C-alpha cells in the first residue's frame, strides 16, 4: 500500500513539473509571458518586447519569409521612439513617433537576421528579427 501511495505521489509531482515548463523557445533578455503571435513587437517606455515569447532588450522574434512584423507603441506616454534598422541586412526604418497606438510594419522577403534599435535611445532599446 505504501508503494502505491509513493508512486501516485511521484506521478503527481512529475505532472506538476511538466506543467511549469515553457512551451516556446525564448531568447534574449527574458521578461515573462508573451503568447502572442510571432512578429508582434511592443514598443514600450525604453523597451522593445516580443509579444510572442516575452523577450525584451533585445526582443528576439523568428518569422517565416514573407511575414510581416508589426511594432506597436504601448504605454509610451510622450516619450518618442522609433524602429531603426542596424547592420548589413537592413529594412526601411520608421519615423520617430510619440503616442500610444502608433504602429510600424515591415514585410521581410529575404532570409537573414535583422537587428534594430531606437533612434532616440540607441542600444538601450534593441531587438532582432530572424527570418527563416
Amino acid at each position: 500500500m505504501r508503494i502505491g501511495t509513493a508512486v501516485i505521489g511521484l506521478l503527481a509531482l512529475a505532472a506538476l513539473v511538466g506543467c511549469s515548463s515553457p512551451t516556446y523557445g525564448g531568447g534574449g533578455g527574458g521578461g515573462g509571458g508573451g503568447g502572442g503571435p510571432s512578429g508582434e513587437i511592443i514598443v514600450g517606455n525604453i523597451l522593445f518586447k516580443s509579444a510572442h515569447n516575452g523577450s525584451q532588450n533585445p526582443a528576439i522574434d523568428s518569422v517565416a519569409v514573407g511575414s510581416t512584423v508589426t511594432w506597436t507603441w504601448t504605454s509610451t506616454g510622450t516619450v518618442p521612439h522609433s524602429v531603426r534598422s542596424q547592420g548589413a541586412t537592413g529594412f526601411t526604418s520608421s519615423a520617430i513617433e510619440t503616442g500610444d497606438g502608433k504602429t510600424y510594419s515591415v514585410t521581410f522577403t529575404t532570409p537573414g537576421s535583422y537587428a534594430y534599435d531606437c533612434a532616440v535611445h540607441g542600444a538601450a532599446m534593441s531587438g532582432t528579427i530572424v527570418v527563416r
Side-chain angles (χ1 to χ4, degrees), residues 86-111:
Q86 298 287 304
T89 53
F91 57 91
T92 302
S93 298
S94 77
I96 295 173
E97 298 279 1
T98 302
D100 295 346
K102 304 283 188 188
T103 62
Y104 182 68
S105 296
V106 174
T107 300
F108 291 90
T109 58
T110 305

Side-chain angles (χ1 to χ4, degrees), residues 18-24:
C19 288
S20 68
S21 298
T23 58
Y24 56 82

Side-chain angles (χ1 to χ4, degrees), residues 9 22 28 32 71 82 103-104 113:
W71 290 265
S82 72
T103 62
Y104 182 68
S113 184

